[in-house]
Amino acid sequence: QVQLVESGGGLVQPGRSLRLSCAADGIVFNTYTMAWYRQAPGRHRDLVATITRYGEAYYADSVKGRFTISRDNAQNTVYLQMNSLKPEDTAVYYCAAEYGWGWSGADYWGRGTQVTVSS
């Protein structure tokens, strides 16, 4: 049974930071590329960042320079450090996992965690 469990979401003021965590269970974590997506009301679910098992990272232009994805393979956990948050970052953030080195689509999804950026 595969589970991806996100945590760390909440309400934060613009300009502040949040750190999201995703703990994976039921997969050989270091054989999966991990990713964060987000979905705001009325919008598509957009890819935010990916990270390979070796730590190679990709970022969407909208978050580049503000967000950092990282992983701890020993802890089976992927993180998303979110700095300089903007109201436009408000969304449900989803953790995802795809087997292998690339990214074409998620094999597994977490249930999501709400991030609300508001003054």
Side-chain angles (χ1 to χ4, degrees):
Q1 186 176 10
V2 176
Q3 289 191 78
L4 305 178
V5 181
E6 302 96 336
S7 62
L11 174 64
V12 64
Q13 293 181 321
R16 301 295 295 272
S17 298
L18 279 177
R19 186 195 191 212
L20 306 182
S21 298
C22 171
D25 185 61
I27 62 172
V28 181
F29 185 74
N30 64 7
T31 67
Y32 281 76
T33 296
M34 303 298 296
W36 289 95
Y37 283 75
R38 67 185 182 185
Q39 186 168 24
R43 297 192 61 178
H44 294 98
R45 186 172 296 187
D46 294 322
L47 182 64
V48 174
T50 65
I51 185 167
T52 72
R53 62 176 177 153
Y54 302 112
E56 300 165 329
Y58 160 86
Y59 298 95
D61 288 342
S62 58
V63 307
K64 192 173 297 183
R66 299 189 298 121
F67 291 10
T68 302
I69 188 171
S70 62
R71 65 192 291 162
D72 186 341
N73 288 339
Q75 296 292 321
N76 290 358
T77 302
V78 62
Y79 305 94
L80 187 68
Q81 178 67 42
M82 309 164 65
N83 298 329
S84 301
L85 283 162
K86 305 174 180 179
E88 309 93 89
D89 296 318
T90 295
V92 177
Y93 283 72
Y94 296 90
C95 179
E98 182 178 18
Y99 181 76
W101 58 268
W103 192 267
S104 59
D107 295 315
Y108 303 104
W109 291 93
R111 289 179 175 259
T113 185
Q114 177 71 48
V115 173
T116 302
V117 185
S118 177
S119 60

